[in-house]
Amino acid sequence: MHVSSENIVLAGAGLSALFIAKFVKTHFPEKTVTIVDASSEVGGQFGSIDFGPHGLVDHGMHVYYDCCVPEVDQLIQSALPDSEWNIYHDNEKDVAGIFFNGKLQTHSPYPDLRALPADKLARYAGDLLQSCANPSIDEPQNSYDFLLGQFGKSLADEIFVPILEKLHLRHPRELHLLASRLTAINRVNLFDFDFVAELSAVEKLRDRIAFPDQMALPRIRVNNQRALYPAKFGFAHATRALQHELIKMGVKFHLKSRVNRLGIAADRVSHIHLTDGDQNDHSIECDQLYWAAGLTSLAKFLGVSLQGFMPEKRPPTYFVYFKFGRKPMMDGLYYFYCFDRSFRSFRVTNYSGYCPQAANEGFPICVEFWSRESDSLSDADILSLARRELESFGVVARDWIASFSAVYKGNAIPIPSLSNMHSLDRVRDEINQKNLLNLTSVGLLSENHVFFISEVLRDAYDKVRRNFNLN
Ligand SMILES: Cc1cc2nc3c(=O)[nH]c(=O)nc-3n(C[C@H](O)[C@H](O)[C@H](O)COP(=O)(O)OP(=O)(O)OC[C@H]3O[C@@H](n4cnc5c(N)ncnc54)[C@H](O)[C@@H]3O)c2cc1C
């Protein structure tokens, strides 16, 4: 066994670890930084899948949305020259739709109910205004509480409960508040432009009532956050650039190296033990360890009991890719969520919407396809079902021929159930009770409010600054 001496070790080479490494080397160039990852590529979920002659594709939709901490955004953006990014502002940063009630809705990502009979609309509007004026729930404990507080009972029960049940397989009463943030279910379209423009002046109404044209949002509804995506297709163009930059700064990478054990001495993690791609064992000494490779594996390596932690898992989820010679009929949308129960699609991404260069060799589309418990599907079945759903959405026509298609088994979004989230809270507590002075847990769900990359990086930034007494 080879033993080498290192200093600051990052387990996982996803965007959170790449960011921390760059932050440390920018502020403390003399520090030794080592990154290890089980994969042969950096980037984690923000890396790309390489289909050889067919090029790169992303894991579903992964665009960098500013976390609005200038130093963090600057460290990510400077991985590529400005000319090698597509940078979107204002109404163009997130052009999203939904498939809802049998129709692809492209003007707004929030359910549009304006075509409903007037008496129903009046009931919904009355309930919403009532819940806004007299909130029945001060501190929502689950996603149903959130819906009741946001919209009142009729809209919650008749419109939003079925949507959350489709997405997360549970009544929202059993879903953590995180579920109400994963997809945009916080607003509804009830009124036409002029009236909504007037209502927009009131914050509580602005937070509940959608503006019916996302490309013409009034200034008061737009923030400064930007969206960044590499000019070339494949977010890996940015994560690989970060890797090259870090190598130049002296960071060492051990890829294809899976952490399989942590060495603990007194109140510190003394070593990480790895198995590399050739099945050789290594160990690396650490002065500080940033764990950015998943909370449950950290728990396992620290001997935190996962007994009683029976994660409520989804049936397998797949990324299904197609390339067509014609532009998908999505009216400029970058992506849309499918809210209708009869479909297995979760989200459809139109890459050329935000990366025009993606269309160079056919217009790529990704269907995030969530199978069902009863399914026993081959890749060919998945391809044909996903293709049929694209046709039903009206995104492609029956006679379009795909020049490329592929199925890739993806990482599922964990079910944001109360049970799962409470178990993760317990796991976090037990990890903290180990009081390991040189261990910092970062990344996806390292804290219960941390999921999107902007949240992950803000949290990582706070933690790394605290460790270096930079606060
Ligand atoms: C299906 C899905 C869809 C998402 N969609 C969005 C979205 O649209 N927008 C958004 O902002 N966020 C989205 N997210 C969240 C986003 O992916 C995360 O915020 C982000 O990837 C977190 O980065 P990370 O570096 O913490 O982790 P990851 O990107 O998950 O990277 C973790 C790394 O750890 C490595 N690793 C794991 N175990 C080991 C081990 N034992 N040894 C060595 N290495 C190991 C993995 O190979 C991986 O490279 C989505 C997440 C999922 C799962």
Side-chain angles (χ1 to χ4, degrees):
M1 182 186 285
H2 163 79
V3 177
S4 58
S5 173
E6 303 283 357
N7 208 339
I8 296 171
V9 177
L10 295 132
L15 202 50
S16 59
L18 298 176
F19 158 72
I20 292 170
K22 190 165 171 188
F23 178 91
V24 171
K25 285 305 260 184
T26 303
H27 287 268
F28 306 99
E30 74 286 1
K31 299 270 182 210
T32 305
V33 175
T34 303
I35 300 185
V36 303
D37 199 293
S39 165
S40 56
E41 270 270 356
V42 302
Q45 291 292 306
F46 270 84
S48 303
I49 303 160
D50 194 337
F51 281 108
H54 298 287
L56 302 178
V57 290
D58 293 340
H59 297 254
M61 147 100 190
H62 275 96
V63 166
Y64 182 78
Y65 287 101
D66 274 344
C67 71
C68 299
V69 175
E71 182 175 11
V72 180
D73 295 328
Q74 206 276 332
L75 285 178
I76 299 291
Q77 183 175 345
S78 59
L80 289 172
D82 284 358
S83 59
E84 291 182 31
W85 286 107
N86 292 302
I87 302 181
Y88 298 101
H89 302 260
D90 302 335
N91 295 335
E92 294 199 327
K93 66 173 175 263
D94 187 21
V95 188
I98 50 177
F99 188 81
F100 174 66
N101 274 349
K103 274 216 302 249
L104 180 58
Q105 190 187 294
T106 59
H107 56 277
S108 164
Y110 302 105
D112 190 340
L113 308 180
R114 288 175 297 162
L116 290 178
D119 56 336
K120 206 170 205 184
L121 263 188
R123 183 161 58 88
Y124 287 161
D127 263 17
L128 184 146
L129 294 174
Q130 173 78 19
S131 74
C132 198
N134 301 308
S136 54
I137 292 161
D138 287 338
E139 281 193 30
Q141 301 296 316
N142 56 54
S143 284
Y144 189 53
D145 287 355
F146 168 81
L147 292 174
L148 291 176
Q150 197 72 356
F151 302 116
K153 193 159 165 46
S154 55
L155 272 169
D157 285 346
E158 292 165 33
I159 303 297
F160 289 98
V161 168
I163 292 173
L164 280 183
E165 283 179 338
K166 189 263 169 166
L167 297 177
H168 301 301
L169 314 170
R170 302 278 180 286
H171 188 282
R173 210 180 282 114
E174 295 169 46
L175 292 173
H176 189 268
L177 286 171
L178 177 65
S180 58
R181 297 199 292 117
L182 291 181
T183 38
I185 52 147
N186 53 328
R187 291 193 178 93
V188 63
N189 282 283
L190 292 178
F191 307 115
D192 281 329
F193 292 83
D194 293 345
F195 192 41
V196 178
E198 266 177 55
L199 295 178
S200 293
V202 181
E203 191 181 344
K204 276 187 171 181
L205 294 175
R206 197 163 67 234
D207 288 348
R208 291 166 166 82
I209 295 173
F211 192 79
D213 180 358
Q214 62 181 323
M215 298 315 287
L217 294 179
R219 200 62 236 163
I220 195 167
R221 285 179 176 257
V222 180
N223 62 26
N224 290 332
Q225 194 184 37
R226 305 164 310 160
L228 279 81
Y229 190 86
K232 290 188 191 148
F233 181 39
F235 203 92
H237 288 290
T239 52
R240 287 173 183 172
L242 265 167
Q243 180 189 15
H244 291 145
E245 218 184 346
L246 291 171
I247 290 170
K248 278 198 198 140
M249 292 167 115
V251 173
K252 294 179 196 159
F253 282 84
H254 296 260
L255 299 180
K256 291 199 222 162
S257 296
R258 178 172 291 281
V259 180
N260 54 34
R261 194 157 59 84
L262 297 181
I264 312 286
D267 50 8
R268 307 180 77 79
V269 181
S270 60
H271 291 81
I272 58 167
H273 299 276
L274 310 166
T275 306
D276 70 18
D278 299 323
Q279 299 307 310
N280 293 321
D281 290 333
H282 295 254
S283 74
I284 297 177
E285 221 172 283
C286 28
D287 288 339
Q288 279 190 50
L289 173 63
Y290 288 86
W291 186 267
L295 195 64
T296 48
S297 56
L298 174 61
K300 195 176 88 191
F301 296 141
L302 292 178
V304 167
S305 163
L306 293 172
Q307 227 181 13
F309 178 48
M310 301 283 287
E312 294 178 311
K313 285 198 174 145
R314 285 179 200 284
T317 71
Y318 300 90
F319 297 122
V320 188
Y321 299 98
F322 297 96
K323 283 189 187 177
F324 293 99
R326 299 166 68 172
K327 198 172 178 174
M329 295 181 280
M330 283 173 63
D331 207 12
L333 290 181
Y334 299 170
Y335 63 96
F336 67 86
Y337 291 105
C338 174
F339 283 173
D340 280 7
R341 281 171 195 250
S342 50
F343 295 84
R344 288 175 174 78
S345 301
F346 162 65
R347 176 167 57 178
V348 174
T349 301
N350 165 29
Y351 293 113
S352 61
Y354 51 86
C355 179
Q357 192 267 354
N360 279 6
E361 285 167 32
F363 290 85
I365 301 181
C366 175
V367 181
E368 284 165 76
F369 183 92
W370 293 9
S371 64
R372 296 182 180 152
E373 246 142 51
S374 54
D375 282 345
S376 144
L377 300 171
S378 66
D379 281 5
D381 297 332
I382 293 168
L383 274 174
S384 114
L385 273 169
R387 162 84 202 223
R388 281 218 298 277
E389 293 201 356
L390 284 177
E391 288 168 16
S392 303
F393 298 143
V395 165
V396 303
R398 270 193 103 167
D399 59 348
W400 289 16
I401 293 169
S403 60
F404 167 73
S405 58
V407 176
Y408 182 90
K409 193 164 178 194
N411 277 354
I413 291 184
I415 294 185
S417 63
L418 286 174
S419 150
N420 273 351
M421 297 302 284
H422 290 162
S423 298
L424 286 178
D425 286 344
R426 182 184 62 75
V427 166
R428 260 181 233 108
D429 283 349
E430 290 195 27
I431 291 173
N432 289 338
Q433 281 162 22
K434 298 272 172 191
N435 271 329
L436 292 165
L437 301 180
N438 64 342
L439 169 69
T440 308
S441 166
V442 292
L444 186 75
L445 290 173
S446 59
E447 307 296 335
N448 75 4
H449 59 281
V450 166
F451 182 85
F452 293 106
I453 195 62
S454 50
E455 298 161 345
V456 164
L457 294 188
R458 266 198 301 268
D459 176 69
Y461 180 69
D462 289 345
K463 287 174 175 166
V464 70
R465 281 172 59 83
R466 203 174 311 135
N467 287 349
F468 285 100
N469 293 320
L470 292 174
N471 285 328

